[in-house]
Amino acid sequence: MTRTDTSAVTQQAQHAPALIALDWGTTALRAYLLDAQGVVLDSRASSAGIMNLPRPAAQGGFDTVFDATCGAWLASGAQLPVIAAGMVGSAQGWMEAPYVATPADPAALVAGIVRVTTLKGLTVHIVPGVLEDGALPNVMRGEETQIFGALASDTTLEHEPHGGLIGLPGTHAKWAVVSKGRIERFYTFMTGETFGALRDHTILGRTMRATDQHDLAAFIRGVDTAKDAGHAGMLATIFSTRTLGLTGQLKPEQQADYLSGLLIGHELRGLNEVLAREQADLAGKTLRLIGNDALCERYRHALARFGCHDARTVAHATERGLHRIALQAGLIRSTSSAN
Amino acid sequence: MTRTDTSAVTQQAQHAPALIALDWGTTALRAYLLDAQGVVLDSRASSAGIMNLPRPAAQGGFDTVFDATCGAWLASGAQLPVIAAGMVGSAQGWMEAPYVATPADPAALVAGIVRVTTLKGLTVHIVPGVLEDGALPNVMRGEETQIFGALASDTTLEHEPHGGLIGLPGTHAKWAVVSKGRIERFYTFMTGETFGALRDHTILGRTMRATDQHDLAAFIRGVDTAKDAGHAGMLATIFSTRTLGLTGQLKPEQQADYLSGLLIGHELRGLNEVLAREQADLAGKTLRLIGNDALCERYRHALARFGCHDARTVAHATERGLHRIALQAGLIRSTSSAN
């Protein structure tokens, strides 16, 4: 039996479900039930990312996961609008939503929405990703929605002289330059995935000892090595993870944190080189982070070594971004004028 | 029955076996039977590297492999001296030969030789590796012997103004600065192993199509990207392997060569940054390579993009190095005065 108390009933009366918002990536799905103002009434998590569906897409894999995750919210026959962002709009997704080019604003995303009808007749609105074309093209799917969610709740970055900077640490870390409510350009660093590949599939992992303790000093040492002695490049510095161990300067249980610091340090060193060509610098910059708290905390430590001391994490960027785009697309109407 | 012809008999008479020389690494063993002048009379290859012994070291694993590989050369009861270089002298090897510090010359290596006696009473002389200590320590085992082998047959590098440069491409590529017959300093780039980890264990491999055809244009494109647009660092540029595919600019069968070019390009870009701090530059430099022909050929193509057009491969560096150190250690006597 489901527990219900008076305050929950009261809240439910005030906040009627108005939107199902999906953040559907490669390895996970997060689903939110929102009211018209974007208040989260309920949420569900599933490991059925687009590469991890219980049955192939051609056999209704997406429908199955959608029903299993969101079915309870629709049990009363409610016809809620559904919005989705992330790899669900890729060529391997439910339906491909072609990339929108930079500079990109929410209106461009809305114009690029594609619609897929579920077996039960609901329309799922899939938000497109963003492409920056060129000699080194960059793509994102999902992060554009988080970025607009962050901008909806934090206008600090609008006043940054060279454009605001938003970092999204992770498997494929993104750094986006935003101004006038647009994503002007962005960069991808394969930091998280490269760390995993080096730790699990090269000689560097062999001398590491796993531990639950995060060694901040070893992490900072890695960051500083990349910052101060990283001119030879990452292929050179990573070998020190092993040789500092061989020479008794780094314990086995410190080596993973050191390597993590090295890679994040190389990411920030590279980002700083990019910024330098735009007459900007991480030192003294105000920026924002989106991502899980522990990882953002690591990045704040690393950013501080580069002279950046104002790098707060923006919470709830995903839900806010999905709500904002749904509003702009006319899928819901807010009684407030905030958006 | 073994075939014997007159010329072979004549040669054997002229070139009496004088030394067994072993290049014993992590994944392979190469054994050479040399005469006193270093002429190779016979050679054997085995996949029994030190991490791949048929039985544990404590149960005679090294003896077993040595007997299986070199036993035939000792069948007549000959008491040949044995010299060995490579990971066989590491902590995981037959017996640890502590590193010799840079700057290192052949006399220092000879002074650091450790001796292990086989079950049949032969003495194996294990050449130590070289260590460059510091904030980013570097180590080599086996390459020091190849470098001295190269210097024995090619004195070109002695006349280079900022020291000669020798590159040893591979899993862990080494670049050594040599002068006055010494290894002055050296650098390690984990290029080969990182390439394998990225190709086999990240998203980059998923869009690659394997092919036997080497696509030189795709390789060069990767090198040029690292050289001309690599300031953001390798973590950023490698993502273009995927996005150039997504945007139709790079075919699936070109992506592995492109990534290979990118990584080797980043290695050379980093090396050039190191050289710049020594007032040197790859452009116009004369250097030498040691390694397998196909890989050295790739490096020559890449070096040419950095303005270096004199990078010949030195053949037989391993055997020559082992012979040279054996001579200097007094294990054999040469009738010639060449060494």
Side-chain angles (χ1 to χ4, degrees), chain A residues 33-52:
Chain A
L33 181 67
L34 305 180
D35 77 358
Q37 274 66 49
V39 174
V40 177
L41 307 178
D42 198 3
S43 69
R44 302 282 173 96
S46 159
S47 61
I50 73 154
M51 292 300 181
N52 197 24

Side-chain angles (χ1 to χ4, degrees), chain B:
Chain B
M1 190 181 156
T2 309
R3 286 195 309 158
T4 306
D5 63 24
T6 317
S7 66
V9 170
T10 309
Q11 186 175 335
Q12 204 163 5
Q14 290 176 335
H15 301 289
L19 178 71
I20 292 175
L22 309 177
D23 170 26
W24 206 332
T26 304
T27 59
L29 162 65
R30 284 194 166 272
Y32 303 91
L33 182 67
L34 305 180
D35 77 358
Q37 275 65 48
V39 174
V40 177
L41 306 178
D42 197 4
S43 69
R44 301 282 173 97
S46 159
S47 61
I50 72 154
M51 291 302 180
N52 198 25
L53 299 175
R55 65 176 71 174
Q59 293 169 32
F62 285 99
D63 265 290
T64 305
V65 174
F66 177 72
D67 284 348
T69 311
C70 305
W73 298 336
L74 300 162
S76 56
Q79 288 288 314
L80 295 176
V82 185
I83 190 164
M87 290 298 282
V88 68
S90 70
Q92 295 78 38
W94 205 342
M95 179 176 282
E96 185 169 4
Y99 292 110
V100 165
T102 53
D105 62 10
L109 294 184
V110 167
I113 284 175
V114 301
R115 290 162 190 79
V116 60
T117 306
T118 71
L119 288 177
K120 293 186 177 163
L122 263 76
T123 303
V124 179
H125 301 76
I126 301 179
V127 180
V130 177
L131 164 72
E132 185 169 342
D133 215 342
L136 290 172
N138 268 295
V139 291
M140 57 166 66
R141 280 199 188 272
E143 292 93 345
E144 72 297 322
T145 301
Q146 296 178 298
I147 289 168
F148 290 122
L151 292 178
S153 65
D154 187 337
T155 56
T156 318
L157 298 183
E158 292 290 327
H159 308 296
E160 279 289 295
H162 300 281
L165 194 60
I166 300 184
L168 301 98
T171 307
H172 298 170
K174 305 284 183 192
W175 285 93
V177 177
V178 296
S179 79
K180 301 174 201 146
R182 307 188 305 193
I183 298 170
E184 297 288 344
R185 53 192 174 276
F186 63 99
Y187 312 96
T188 306
F189 296 83
M190 286 183 60
T191 309
E193 194 173 17
T194 301
F195 173 76
L198 292 175
R199 181 194 55 196
D200 299 338
H201 302 287
T202 74
I203 199 173
L204 300 183
R206 284 204 218 142
T207 51
M208 290 179 184
R209 191 177 300 146
T211 165
D212 290 338
Q213 292 293 99
H214 172 49
D215 191 318
L216 183 59
F219 175 81
I220 295 287
R221 182 173 178 177
V223 174
D224 286 352
T225 297
K227 180 170 75 74
D228 301 329
H231 57 278
M234 201 194 88
L235 291 169
T237 60
I238 54 174
F239 194 56
S240 66
T241 309
R242 175 173 173 78
T243 58
L244 288 171
L246 286 176
T247 55
Q249 300 178 68
L250 201 64
K251 293 177 193 161
E253 54 270 26
Q254 297 180 306
Q255 292 175 20
D257 281 318
Y258 175 78
L259 181 62
S260 168
L262 262 184
L263 265 56
I264 291 174
H266 274 288
E267 175 185 331
L268 297 182
R269 182 188 178 98
L271 178 62
N272 234 0
E273 289 285 334
V274 168
L275 293 176
R277 285 154 202 242
E278 300 165 5
Q279 282 74 50
D281 194 317
L282 282 173
K285 195 154 183 80
T286 293
L287 57 84
R288 291 293 173 261
L289 297 173
I290 300 171
N292 89 55
D293 287 338
L295 188 56
C296 287
E297 187 63 18
R298 285 194 166 220
Y299 269 73
R300 258 188 299 282
H301 283 295
L303 284 160
R305 308 304 289 184
F306 284 81
C308 169
H309 301 280
D310 188 353
R312 268 172 285 164
T313 303
V314 183
H316 310 300
T318 307
E319 311 90 278
R320 286 178 183 166
L322 287 161
H323 176 254
R324 181 176 173 184
I325 293 166
L327 266 182
Q328 185 137 357
L331 303 182
I332 49 171
R333 288 184 191 194
S334 172
T335 52
S336 100
S337 60
N339 280 288

